Amino acid sequence: MYVMSNVDTRQNDDVTVMDRHDEKLQKPKMFSVLIHNDDFTPFDFVTSILERIFKMNADTAQKTAADVHVKGIGVAGTYTYEIAETKLVQAMQLVAQTEHPLQLSMQEA
């Protein structure tokens, strides 16, 4: 006999009746990875992070990096928690390797 979670089963002789409960699934919370402007990290390095880690094309990466420079902060991408956290860690590892002071953070979108 195969039993799924959230399913009621009743046996009557050789017959198994399965009643399925409708369960509403919630969309996962989304999180934005933010890049913070500083006066020392080269523009090209920021665009390379956006292209390599956040999979932006060159034009979008340059526009986003320009927004970060002008506004002081910009969104690199919005993802589920696990993906946002992974991309944040990957970006921070590249930052640490180059010793640039670039800061990134994550917040609920």
Side-chain angles (χ1 to χ4, degrees), residues 42-103:
F43 188 87
D44 291 341
F45 179 73
V46 175
T47 58
S48 71
I49 292 271
L50 292 169
E51 290 173 15
R52 290 174 63 185
I53 304 297
F54 299 96
K55 306 300 182 201
M56 291 184 183
N57 64 42
D59 289 338
T60 304
Q62 287 182 356
K63 288 176 186 175
T64 302
D67 281 347
V68 170
H69 180 70
V70 171
K71 297 177 183 175
I73 195 167
V75 177
T78 302
Y79 313 94
T80 59
Y81 180 85
E82 291 80 10
I83 294 171
E85 182 180 46
T86 299
K87 289 188 177 284
L88 177 67
V89 168
Q90 290 172 341
M92 291 306 296
Q93 287 173 341
L94 282 177
V95 169
Q97 289 172 4
T98 60
E99 298 182 1
H100 291 302
L102 184 66
Q103 293 294 310

Side-chain angles (χ1 to χ4, degrees), residues 10-17:
R10 288 177 252 130
Q11 282 191 321
N12 188 5
D13 296 331
D14 292 338
V15 177
T16 300
V17 177

